[in-house]
Amino acid sequence: MVQSETGHVFLIGAGPGDPELITVKGLRSLRAAEVILYDRLVAPELLEEAHPSALRIFVGKQPQHHTLKQHEINALLIKYAREGKIVARLKGGDPYVFGRGGEEALALREAGISFEVIPGITSAIAVPTAAGIPVTHRDYASSLTIVTGHEARGGDEAPAINWEALAKLGGTIVVLMGVRALPRFTQQMLEAGMNPQTPAAIIQEGTTSRQRTLVATLESIALQALEQDITSPALTIIGEVVSLAHELHAITALPSVQDLLLSRAS
Ligand code: SAH
């Protein structure tokens, strides 16, 4: 039960980019919200789904602008909930996949705020899917590893990744937040003995109309991404499954459900 006197926070996964890829439950909660705190990766169209009177607060990172610290975001969530508001915390993909959603949930719990997590479709899986790359396939990969390219080097980033171990594990490897680190981690995997011809792809702004896919090899992808000016948000996928991209891409490049229905109606 949502208690309006004490407020309530929905930690909502907004999906990978295409605004239609939010869940039904996520959309319902968003429409019920009085205050919305949203990130840079959230599709702008989703904000139009909120109640016109809802307060919309951008809390994402923006170059050249003051960025709210995580503890400041937590404090805002708690403040509005204590005012009795229904708060939607809208995060890209799934809230608990590299989105610091776990930290926000713990802060809410500590503050005694009632909250609910609504899972989202993570970019780690949906972006390759939309680009025609199945993250697993019986003939090519029976494991999927999702890692961050933004590793610890003394800051508050995630702990360091053992790239050598990953190179040996094989299967499919998806690297989030790894555009800048691409030359470094591909080099480490090559040095660990991974086949330089292993197929690799980088996908920018996947599932949106701006999606760009670059298919290359482990050896060549870093240079090609640089040449083609691939920028964040993008993810890298390494493994034999990437070889299916050429065959399957055409199948996934269909019009949206809405376009399809509109064309039938006319
Ligand atoms: N919680 C999110 C991930 C947050 S980390 C999720 O579950 O999807 C942010 C990283 O996700 C980006 O740096 C990028 O690597 C990846 N990402 C998010 N949206 C993406 C998109 N539309 N296309 C490609 N990569 C994306």
Side-chain angles (χ1 to χ4, degrees), residues 15-17 40-41 91-99 121-124 127 175-178 203-208 232-236:
R40 186 172 70 94
L41 289 177
K91 300 175 77 74
D94 181 275
Y96 281 0
V97 178
F98 294 124
I121 299 180
T122 181
S123 65
V127 165
V175 187
L176 300 186
M177 299 178 280
I203 308 156
Q204 178 182 327
E205 292 191 83
T207 78
T208 73
S232 177
L235 61 76
T236 307

